[in-house]
Amino acid sequence: MMGANEQDCVFCRVGRHEAPAEYVYEDETVFVIKDRFPKAPVHLLVIPRKHIARIDALSTEDNGLIVHLFEVVRLIAVKYHLEAGYRVIINSGAEGGQTVSHLHVHLIAGKCLGFREDAAL
């Protein structure tokens, strides 16, 4: 799905309620859905409504959006009682593991998420 534009981007369609998703939060700037292929008991995607392909496509005009994105991560962590810990991941580009060309944050929790440089989730 890399290279998608706003018209054929799956996350843009989900944000417009034109594609199915399980929503857990929405406001005028971002929405949060459950990942269709979860890597842990809690695996949510925090997605800006504005189509931004990846981190390198951000501009200074997006500063408020990025702050809000992380405010929502915090709100969702509280809502899901993730005091024991969680992981926040942003993949950027194909070699960085990004499979949908629309900036999004993975919020993953619900099991021990130890870190090993040579191991995937």
Side-chain angles (χ1 to χ4, degrees):
M1 170 62 72
M2 295 300 290
N5 63 36
E6 289 182 54
Q7 295 306 310
D8 60 7
C9 171
V10 66
F11 287 164
C12 288
R13 290 195 325 266
V14 169
R16 295 188 301 261
H17 290 262
E18 297 171 358
E22 192 172 343
Y23 299 84
V24 299
Y25 175 88
E26 290 188 80
D27 65 27
E28 66 281 345
T29 308
V30 303
F31 57 98
V32 181
I33 60 174
K34 291 187 176 183
D35 193 291
R36 290 185 346 175
F37 306 104
K39 305 292 186 201
V42 176
H43 189 164
L44 305 171
L45 304 177
V46 184
I47 307 168
R49 292 186 187 279
K50 178 181 179 183
H51 183 83
I52 301 169
R54 52 193 271 176
I55 291 174
D56 349 21
L58 289 165
S59 70
T60 55
E61 74 180 33
D62 298 313
N63 289 349
L65 170 69
I66 296 305
V67 168
H68 184 63
L69 204 64
F70 282 96
E71 288 172 341
V72 171
V73 166
R74 183 189 59 77
L75 289 171
I76 297 300
V78 169
K79 177 180 178 179
Y80 276 77
H81 306 286
L82 303 179
E83 301 86 9
Y86 54 93
R87 183 171 290 167
V88 175
I89 301 171
I90 302 175
N91 300 319
S92 189
E95 289 189 19
Q98 185 178 11
T99 58
V100 176
S101 188
H102 185 122
L103 180 69
H104 57 286
V105 175
H106 294 259
L107 175 60
I108 301 171
K111 70 176 188 177
C112 184
L113 298 169
F115 180 78
R116 284 186 31 214
E117 288 186 31
D118 63 337
L121 284 175

